[in-house]
Amino acid sequence: MPRPFKYLAFVRIGFARARAEPAEHYARVLFLLVILGVFSSLWRAVAATGADVGGDPHTFVWYLAMTEWVLMSAPHVHFRIEDDVRRGDVAYQIVRPVSYLAAHFAEGVGALVARAPVLLAGACTGAWVFGGAPARPLAVGRAIAFGCGAALVLTSYNVLLGLTAFWLGDIAPVYWIWQKLTFVLGGLLLPLTLYPDLVVRIARLTPFSAILAGPASFVLGRPFFDGQTLGLALIAWAVAAALIAVTTFHSIARRLQINGG
Amino acid sequence: MIPEGRFQFLGVRGGAISLIERAMSTPAVELHDLRKTFAARVRRGPGLRARVADLFVPRSHQVCAVDGVSLRIERGERVAFIGPNGAGKSTTLKILAGILYPDSGTVLVDGLVPWRDRHALGFRIGTVFGQRSQLWYQLPPRATFELLAHVYELPRATRKQTLDTLIAAFALEPLLDRPVRQLSLGERMRCEVAASLLHAPGLLFLDEPTIGLDVSAKATIRELLRDQSRTAGTTLLLTSHDTGDIEQVCDRVVIIHRGTILLDAPVDEVKRRYLRQRRVTMVTAAERFDATQLDGARVVATAPHRLTVEVDAADAAIGSLVAAVVAHTELRDLIVDDPPLDDVIRNLYASASSSRGTVEQRDAISSR
């Protein structure tokens, strides 16, 4: 069997594992609906005062639905890696004739395939209920297409984030910083076009803007990147994540210490 | 036709047959002067200033886990690698499996350098870590077996047959479709061992495979391991604190203490050489028997019609003992036990301790 096809088995097991925990999907959908409900009320309330919110509050709900969908679809591979390191299960995985990183990524892809459609259905339903029908249905289609790619790239960065467990043991501090950067520089809650110029320029230099604002901003009618640039940016950030992960793991493997006896 | 030049480094002269012979004569494991140290963080003490200093200028000291271990294990051998906690046995095992890099020394496992040829070695070795799991917790064991069949590139034609053989040998049929989280520890361990054997490895490294199991589950795992080794010729290298694992699975015992090998000998020889006492239980016609009449015997237990004593096996004392008993009463039964291996190992650790300092956690050796 050619080696790359091995990883399809990891995709399958990631899919099966995610399907074995349906309650987690439903909880995520519920959380997404609550977020959409709260923020749509907030924007409507601000718009009702006559203040300029920088766009149509209904369209913002679709924007938020898309950013949250991408963010919540990407599986938390980093916590799986942290568990491996903490419990020492990495000892089992590292001796297998497969790449530890690719196996985790493939397992994450399987979880993503199981999770993304459920969350997308929840996001679109919530956006429709709280924001009305999309003003640009085709743009929603583009956002979904690029969003799938963005969720894959985010999964690769989650693998990278998980590798910090080999140094720190507990990834919580790094994850906390990473999460906040994603929220701010990715334009999770507000379109990046509403941010000060300096922040926008910084955001363009990070993967966060391509991962969240990039696909979601299509629904605003003022995309943060045009389609071609976004596609190239996602590919470039994915390649960067892969290179950093492989180099880092090579170094980790040399100084690996397994927890426990 | 195998090109000669390609295998010159192996010293092959006579083509494929010689190559196979050579491969068969290659030991399963060959270690020479293996050393491994770890850097352990040293805290300056309590208080904020010390904490800040620890954060920015960390101090560490080197802990020597393996200190010049040399070992050769032939194919098909069943070797117990034992020692107190922190002796270096798990570290050695992890170096052999290619998980850890040694600081120095040469290591060949099935002719491969583990950390350099980790991918190729992965196909030839199996690992069982008693305190870890390779099964997907939320999924049934079948899902892990199917995944591992792909990982180890088992041909589709033989995959089902291999799996069926293991399922039958390990009696896994009722467990296959239950989520792992619903299995008992013993059931899970049967699945873990089966998963490690799926690709028919020539070598199986086991790190405390029976830890936490009940008596019956331990016996099952031991029997399965022994049978697997006998029928498939699998080389076993096992670490354990449980002397039952050593006696019932292994033929050879290597005792490691503070990173160096204290003893390397057949299990039976260890028992004979290092514990000269034999425990003799006699069932007599007389309800009570005055044990003070027996020279050189120490009474261990007495009961109606039953007397257990310890004698020095080296002095042919058992014959004298029996003669002394039959001179006074009818001897209905006689049971001579080998010395418990626990005692042998405890004595070895103790002697190492007296020559090198205290032995940490000597009592980690569990009773059977």
Side-chain angles (χ1 to χ4, degrees):
Chain A
M1 185 193 313
R3 281 177 62 186
F5 288 103
K6 279 185 188 185
Y7 297 100
L8 284 178
F10 283 94
V11 173
R12 272 202 298 273
I13 208 157
F15 183 81
R17 184 169 172 263
R19 290 282 302 274
E21 294 171 328
E24 194 191 324
H25 296 326
Y26 301 139
R28 280 169 183 269
V29 170
L30 187 66
F31 179 72
L32 182 55
L33 292 175
V34 170
I35 293 279
L36 291 177
V38 168
F39 276 89
S40 65
S41 304
L42 184 69
W43 289 323
R44 276 201 304 270
V46 175
T49 63
D52 179 15
V53 293
D56 172 18
H58 296 293
T59 313
F60 281 4
V61 179
W62 278 95
Y63 174 86
L64 181 62
M66 289 297 109
T67 55
E68 286 287 359
W69 166 62
V70 171
L71 186 74
M72 292 172 77
S73 293
H76 287 176
V77 187
H78 41 293
F79 289 129
R80 284 276 290 163
I81 296 175
E82 185 189 48
D83 278 352
D84 285 350
V85 175
R86 271 195 187 163
R87 293 201 301 248
D89 290 352
V90 65
Y92 263 128
Q93 291 154 18
I94 215 162
V95 296
R96 288 182 187 148
V98 283
S99 154
Y100 177 79
L101 295 174
H104 268 291
F105 177 72
E107 197 186 330
V109 171
L112 176 64
V113 171
R115 186 185 284 180
V118 180
L119 281 166
L120 180 63
C124 289
T125 308
W128 203 299
V129 169
F130 299 113
R136 300 170 193 84
L138 279 177
V140 174
R142 283 189 101 185
I144 292 169
F146 279 103
C148 292
L152 278 173
V153 178
L154 187 54
T155 305
S156 68
Y157 277 92
N158 284 347
V159 172
L160 195 53
L161 188 62
L163 293 185
T164 59
F166 285 93
W167 281 286
L168 304 174
D170 179 6
I171 65 164
V174 181
Y175 176 61
W176 191 85
I177 295 167
W178 174 265
Q179 196 184 38
K180 300 307 170 260
L181 287 172
T182 311
F183 290 179
V184 175
L185 299 175
L188 178 75
L189 302 175
L190 276 177
L192 279 175
T193 45
L194 300 180
Y195 283 39
D197 269 356
L198 179 66
V199 180
V200 173
R201 264 184 274 162
I202 294 170
R204 277 188 191 278
L205 299 174
T206 69
F208 310 113
S209 59
I211 290 169
L212 294 186
S217 60
F218 284 115
V219 300
L220 299 172
R222 287 167 288 145
F224 195 67
F225 297 101
D226 63 70
Q228 192 180 358
T229 310
L230 179 58
L232 289 173
L234 288 174
I235 291 168
W237 285 117
V239 170
L243 287 177
I244 298 169
V246 168
T247 313
T248 309
F249 191 72
H250 184 70
S251 153
I252 287 168
R254 286 201 67 88
R255 53 193 293 278
L256 184 66
Q257 294 190 18
I258 302 294
N259 286 342
Chain B
M1 176 84 184
I2 298 172
E4 283 248 330
R6 197 172 158 194
F7 294 96
Q8 282 301 306
F9 68 97
L10 287 174
V12 174
R13 294 283 182 271
I17 299 297
S18 300
L19 185 67
I20 292 163
E21 284 170 354
R22 177 89 185 177
M24 293 304 288
S25 67
T26 306
V29 172
E30 203 167 10
L31 293 179
H32 181 66
D33 201 20
L34 182 70
R35 288 169 202 278
K36 175 75 181 174
T37 52
F38 292 106
R41 279 276 181 95
V42 182
R43 294 199 184 280
R44 288 175 170 84
L48 185 63
R49 179 180 280 187
R51 286 283 176 90
V52 172
D54 283 341
L55 185 65
F56 291 103
V57 192
R59 281 182 185 168
S60 63
H61 72 95
Q62 296 293 311
V63 177
C64 184
V66 182
D67 187 12
V69 166
S70 297
L71 187 66
R72 183 184 165 103
I73 298 172
E74 301 301 336
R75 288 169 192 278
E77 270 195 288
R78 295 182 290 271
V79 179
F81 201 51
I82 64 167
N85 291 341
K89 53 192 189 302
S90 292
T91 302
T92 307
L93 212 62
K94 283 166 189 160
I95 291 171
L96 292 176
I99 299 166
L100 300 179
Y101 284 59
D103 295 336
S104 64
T106 54
V107 183
L108 285 176
V109 177
D110 205 11
L112 300 173
V113 177
W115 57 94
R116 202 182 61 202
D117 306 313
R118 191 186 277 165
H119 187 270
L121 189 66
F123 288 98
R124 304 190 194 181
I125 62 165
T127 47
V128 177
F129 297 102
Q131 299 185 69
R132 326 248 180 265
S133 180
Q134 60 180 320
L135 305 168
W136 264 256
Y137 187 68
Q138 301 85 351
L139 301 177
R142 189 190 294 278
T144 303
F145 293 154
E146 282 170 6
L147 172 85
L148 293 177
H150 284 93
V151 165
Y152 290 106
E153 302 173 15
L154 300 188
R156 192 179 290 270
T158 57
R159 194 183 302 166
K160 189 178 179 308
Q161 190 192 344
T162 308
L163 199 52
D164 287 348
T165 309
L166 280 174
I167 289 167
F170 285 72
L172 300 179
E173 191 62 53
L175 315 178
L176 277 181
D177 296 308
R178 279 164 52 195
V180 171
R181 63 169 179 260
Q182 292 177 7
L183 302 181
S184 70
L185 184 59
E187 290 170 337
R188 185 173 70 75
M189 277 313 295
R190 264 157 54 204
C191 294
E192 297 277 2
V193 177
S196 298
L197 293 170
L198 197 64
H199 57 295
L203 268 109
L204 191 57
F205 297 127
L206 304 114
D207 195 3
E208 303 187 43
T210 60
I211 193 164
L213 299 184
D214 64 32
V215 176
S216 150
K218 275 182 184 178
T220 307
I221 294 290
R222 287 167 185 159
E223 194 181 320
L224 289 169
L225 288 172
R226 201 176 44 234
D227 289 352
Q228 176 67 25
S229 176
R230 281 182 184 155
T231 54
T234 312
T235 309
L236 301 182
L237 180 58
L238 175 152
T239 78
S240 183
H241 286 301
D242 190 326
T243 48
D245 290 348
I246 300 157
E247 286 185 284
Q248 290 166 40
V249 178
C250 300
D251 312 315
R252 176 180 161 195
V253 60
V254 176
I255 300 180
I256 184 169
H257 180 55
R258 294 198 172 174
T260 54
I261 289 178
L262 284 184
L263 180 87
D264 180 355
V267 172
D268 291 343
E269 192 187 319
V270 170
K271 286 159 73 174
R272 277 198 306 273
R273 200 195 321 166
Y274 290 91
L275 200 76
R276 297 162 67 89
Q277 299 291 310
R278 285 282 168 88
R279 189 165 289 190
V280 182
T281 301
M282 294 167 289
V283 179
T284 55
E287 190 176 341
R288 297 277 166 204
F289 182 77
D290 182 9
T292 56
Q293 300 167 28
L294 306 174
D295 286 341
R298 187 176 69 81
V299 177
V300 175
T302 55
H305 302 286
R306 199 175 183 91
L307 174 68
T308 303
V309 296
E310 272 186 359
V311 292
D312 190 334
D315 293 344
I318 295 171
S320 319
L321 179 75
V322 170
V325 172
V326 296
H328 293 91
T329 180
E330 182 190 343
L331 184 61
R332 291 181 175 167
D333 199 2
L334 179 78
I335 304 158
V336 181
D337 282 328
D338 278 341
L341 196 57
D342 273 355
D343 294 350
V344 178
I345 292 163
R346 198 173 285 125
N347 288 345
L348 273 163
Y349 291 170
S351 57
S353 158
S354 60
S355 60
R356 292 158 182 258
T358 54
V359 176
E360 296 94 343
Q361 303 192 34
R362 190 166 51 194
D363 295 332
I365 301 297
S366 64
S367 325
R368 277 170 296 170

